[in-house]
Amino acid sequence: MDNYGGHIGQGRARDSQARRDAVTVEIGYALCSALFLAVVVFGVVAGPALAFELSDTVQGTLVASGATLGAVLFTVRVVSVLNRFAREGDSTDGDQPSQPGRTNPDS
């Protein structure tokens, strides 16, 4: 039995479930923050075209530019958040406590 009152090996199952949960939360954060960024950028670039009477050419250019820039920034944001999360996950080996001065319960 381990410190949690379960059988040996259940700690690893809890760790893998915690890791899956962390990945799910990080993916959700990446998508939500990227969507927010894309909407704000689209609004800033295409907003004047939708708010004011502009020629069809200028209006089309602003809307297309806003959509393109929003899509590019959406992709860049998702990739950068998930890469940062992956790098942080690789740097921790799981055997050391997460905070300095704390001891590992297995020690």
Side-chain angles (χ1 to χ4, degrees), residues 41-93:
V41 167
F42 176 78
V44 167
V45 174
L50 303 174
F52 302 113
E53 286 286 325
L54 300 173
S55 69
D56 289 340
T57 304
V58 172
Q59 188 174 7
T61 302
L62 287 175
V63 170
S65 299
T68 301
L69 186 58
V72 168
L73 290 177
F74 177 89
T75 304
V76 168
R77 175 68 180 166
V78 169
V79 169
S80 67
V81 168
L82 295 179
N83 277 338
R84 178 183 45 87
F85 179 72
R87 279 193 313 268
E88 288 175 1
D90 291 342
S91 67
T92 60
D93 54 21

Side-chain angles (χ1 to χ4, degrees), residues 2-52:
D2 60 10
N3 290 340
Y4 299 104
H7 296 291
I8 296 175
Q10 284 182 339
R12 279 178 272 197
R14 269 191 296 272
D15 290 344
S16 66
Q17 180 63 43
R19 179 70 180 161
R20 285 193 302 270
D21 290 346
V23 168
T24 301
V25 168
E26 198 68 21
I27 289 170
Y29 169 72
L31 291 174
C32 289
S33 66
L35 181 63
F36 179 77
L37 176 66
V39 167
V40 168
V41 167
F42 176 78
V44 167
V45 174
L50 303 174
F52 302 113

